[in-house]
Amino acid sequence: MSDTAGAPLTVADVLALPVLAAGRPQVLTGLTRLDRPVRWVHITELTDPASFLKGGELVLTTGMPLPEDPAGVRRYVDELAEVGAAALVIELVRRYHRPPDALVHACRARDLPLITLARDVNFLEVTQVVHALLLGNQADAMRRTQRIHEAFTALTLRGAGPQEVVRAAAGMSGRTVVLENLVHQALICEASGATVEEALTGWEARSRAVPAPGEVGGPEGWLVAPVEYQGERWGRVAMLPTSAGFTAEDVTVLERTAMALTIARLIHTTPWERAAHRGALRDLAEQRHHSPADARARCAALGLPTQGVGFLAVLLDVEAQAAETAVAEELRTAGIAALVGTLTPTRLGVLLALRPSQSWRPAVERLSRSALALDPEAVVSVGSEVDDLSATARSFREAARVAKAALPSPDGRAFHELSDIGLRQLLYSLREDTRVQEYAERQLGRLLDHDTRHGTDLLTTLRHYLDSAGNKTTTARRGNLSRETVYQRLRTVERLLDRDLESGEQRTELHVALAVLDVLRPR
């Protein structure tokens, strides 16, 4: 007998029960229909038992009431088949010792399972055993349904978001559950017993082949339910089949999932598409996808091209949530394929999908203009272009390094890229490292202290000297000083710092220390 939780009792299950197995049952017709569910057991010796049936019954008879003529036998079988009887079981002990040919032909013609019993069986005992199992299954099903309702009620009461709702549905059903929008983009996928790649590959075409929500439908036999409120439809939730058919509990889970998603949509103001883009973007940036194939399938199901394109990570340091919708709309209007999502409250992430011949600069310049229009102090940073979606984490890491090194740009520079990172930008990215701070203080601290105590400006003279590559004439001109004054000041600097300014290496050390001071306290 089936041990699958929530599965209905089938003809095959009943035949396997010891009380029937003792009669040595033999299936003569309808061998492929033994998976029919048994709703009840009906013992009959009537010539017209169908009038007392409602469908799904296992009909038990000794054969005593069967008509003699073949036409009557066909009518008897036709009536059972029309009402939806699960199977006909005839005992070959009293009237018959072999099944009548007319009965076998009639059952085969209607594909009605016909089972013979070679030994005497207590039909009353069969009904008691089967009915006890059916009633027990019904009680178990009611308890499981109650637990489903309680679980979704708890999710709703605590304000669960759509991701949590879909995850709960997949966990309860043991099946893959997907939330899609009205244009058949898969926004949330919880794959159960399969990979995301298997669940989402070719999603839009497969989804469009599934009719409107209702019964199990489409070439793959999906179970779908609408997510809507007061006549406004937002999408639908789909449960994908496994080798086992859907049960009544699966239908209950999907219906409650749709209700919980409707409530989540009303409670949470973030559009599903935005939340889906955020999730996909964060998983790519942090390399949290299970496999490159899963990442490609997920992004493709969101409408992002994944084949024959290059990818570029862009970070916008702005008020992220305020800018997210505007930036996404700007890219959509320009026809630029991208994922846009908030990474942190002050950082917006963008993943551009670019054709091989398409330069990334116009798209990034457009992004920069949008960001600066929203926030004049916005910083836009770019990683390097990669040719595979699985490598986008590297592009995001590079863009993050650029963002950390990007100095405030008084010239209103549109964006920063890796090639912009020079010594000053590198030191700026390390400005919070105490080792860097300690280095600057060790190199220049005594000179700074002297200027503070005596009101001098030896540091500026040293800066002019280093910027002039050790040319004293240029140093004098830049400081509007006489050469003698420059000589005197430089000797004082050498004495205070115990350094030889004629040494190229020592001048380099001091130059780096000055650059550290500049990034720590911009002039």
Side-chain angles (χ1 to χ4, degrees):
M1 188 169 65
S2 172
D3 60 356
T4 302
L9 198 67
T10 66
V11 174
D13 294 333
V14 175
L15 295 180
L17 293 172
V19 67
L20 262 180
R24 292 168 57 185
Q26 182 180 2
V27 181
L28 299 184
T29 64
L31 187 62
T32 61
R33 306 300 298 276
L34 297 184
D35 59 350
R36 283 180 168 180
V38 174
R39 187 185 63 81
W40 208 242
V41 176
H42 185 76
I43 304 171
T44 184
E45 299 300 339
L46 300 175
T47 57
D48 60 341
S51 60
F52 295 91
L53 305 180
K54 294 184 178 180
E57 293 87 357
L58 184 76
V59 179
L60 304 179
T61 182
T62 62
M64 298 299 289
L66 282 178
E68 293 286 350
D69 60 304
V73 171
R74 285 196 301 272
R75 184 172 58 255
Y76 181 91
V77 171
D78 285 344
E79 290 177 355
L80 290 179
E82 290 296 333
V83 80
L88 174 63
V89 179
I90 181 170
E91 187 182 72
L92 302 180
V93 175
R94 292 170 177 80
R95 180 178 177 183
Y96 298 106
H97 296 285
R98 59 180 301 274
D101 290 340
L103 181 63
V104 175
H105 293 324
C107 288
R108 182 173 293 120
R110 296 305 300 262
D111 204 15
L112 176 69
L114 173 64
I115 298 103
T116 61
L117 299 176
R119 292 181 178 177
D120 190 22
V121 168
N122 187 328
F123 283 173
L124 183 59
E125 187 178 350
V126 172
T127 62
Q128 289 174 336
V129 171
V130 174
H131 290 173
L133 288 172
L134 289 171
L135 292 172
N137 280 356
Q138 289 175 7
D140 288 343
M142 289 178 64
R143 284 191 290 269
R144 286 192 293 269
T145 299
Q146 181 63 27
R147 286 196 291 268
I148 291 169
H149 287 297
E150 290 173 352
F152 278 104
T153 298
L155 285 170
T156 300
L157 289 176
R158 72 166 180 264
Q163 183 78 52
E164 188 178 359
V165 171
V166 174
R167 185 180 301 117
M172 290 182 207
S173 64
R175 301 174 188 271
T176 295
V177 179
V178 180
L179 171 66
E180 67 172 13
N181 62 11
L182 294 177
V183 293
H184 300 275
Q185 292 177 340
L187 306 178
I188 300 174
C189 173
E190 284 294 331
S192 181
T195 64
V196 172
E197 178 191 14
E198 292 168 337
L200 295 185
T201 296
W203 177 264
E204 181 179 345
R206 292 162 58 207
S207 175
R208 290 186 182 278
V210 180
E215 298 298 323
V216 175
E220 300 176 45
W222 290 7
L223 189 64
V224 293
V227 182
E228 57 189 359
Y229 180 69
Q230 294 184 345
E232 181 183 1
R233 182 166 293 184
W234 296 318
R236 64 180 183 175
V237 60
M239 186 178 286
L240 306 192
T242 60
S243 55
F246 291 112
T247 66
E249 290 172 34
D250 292 327
V251 175
T252 300
V253 168
L254 196 68
E255 290 174 347
R256 287 306 309 264
T257 301
M259 291 173 59
L261 287 169
T262 297
I263 295 171
R265 173 88 177 206
L266 295 171
I267 293 174
H268 299 278
T269 58
T270 302
W272 286 343
E273 288 77 7
R274 294 266 53 80
H277 278 221
R278 286 179 192 173
L281 202 68
R282 289 171 182 173
D283 288 349
L284 287 170
E286 298 171 20
Q287 217 162 9
R288 294 188 304 202
H289 43 267
H290 294 293
S291 70
D294 279 5
R296 283 191 292 270
R298 182 181 180 189
C299 291
L302 286 173
L304 185 77
T306 59
Q307 301 294 332
V309 294
F311 302 95
L312 184 79
V314 184
L315 297 178
L316 287 71
D317 287 347
V318 292
E319 184 62 37
Q321 290 192 7
E324 186 178 43
T325 301
V327 168
E329 186 60 33
E330 175 75 17
L331 292 172
R332 188 182 302 111
T333 301
I336 300 171
L339 289 179
V340 179
T342 298
L343 299 178
T344 70
T346 58
R347 176 163 289 176
L348 185 65
V350 178
L351 180 66
L352 300 175
L354 304 163
R355 298 184 302 275
S357 59
Q358 185 179 6
S359 170
W360 58 262
R361 290 186 179 276
V364 173
E365 288 169 355
R366 189 175 191 125
L367 274 176
S368 301
R369 287 194 296 271
S370 296
L372 291 170
L374 293 166
D375 180 359
E377 296 184 358
V379 175
V380 179
S381 309
V382 183
S384 60
E385 191 171 2
V386 296
D387 58 6
D388 190 84
L389 197 64
S390 61
T392 53
R394 172 166 59 85
S395 186
F396 274 109
R397 287 195 298 269
E398 291 170 350
R401 288 201 296 270
V402 172
K404 189 175 182 180
L407 281 161
S409 182
D411 60 355
R413 183 183 176 88
F415 60 86
H416 304 269
E417 53 186 306
L418 278 171
S419 59
D420 296 331
I421 300 180
L423 174 63
R424 193 173 298 275
Q425 288 76 21
L426 176 63
L427 293 174
Y428 184 75
S429 68
L430 299 173
R431 64 191 180 278
E432 296 177 359
D433 192 317
T434 55
R435 291 172 297 179
V436 173
Q437 298 170 12
E438 191 273 335
Y439 174 82
E441 184 64 21
R442 188 175 68 250
Q443 293 286 336
L444 298 172
R446 285 175 299 201
L447 186 62
L448 292 168
D449 291 343
H450 182 276
D451 278 349
T452 300
R453 286 195 304 268
H454 300 284
T456 55
D457 195 11
L458 296 177
L459 184 70
T460 299
T461 302
L462 176 61
R463 183 189 301 280
H464 290 158
Y465 177 73
L466 296 175
D467 288 344
S468 303
N471 188 304
K472 296 181 176 64
T473 302
T474 303
T475 301
R477 184 173 64 252
R478 288 184 174 181
N480 196 25
L481 301 171
S482 67
R483 286 174 58 87
E484 288 300 323
T485 302
V486 168
Y487 293 152
Q488 179 184 358
R489 289 190 177 188
L490 292 178
R491 283 195 295 272
T492 303
V493 169
E494 287 181 320
R495 176 176 57 79
L496 289 170
L497 300 182
D498 191 21
R499 310 295 277 175
D500 179 7
L501 294 181
E502 296 298 322
S503 166
E505 180 179 350
Q506 293 187 27
R507 284 207 304 266
T508 300
E509 292 172 351
L510 292 172
H511 194 89
V512 170
L514 273 173
V516 172
L517 280 184
D518 289 343
V519 299
L520 287 174
R521 50 182 192 183
R523 289 175 296 166

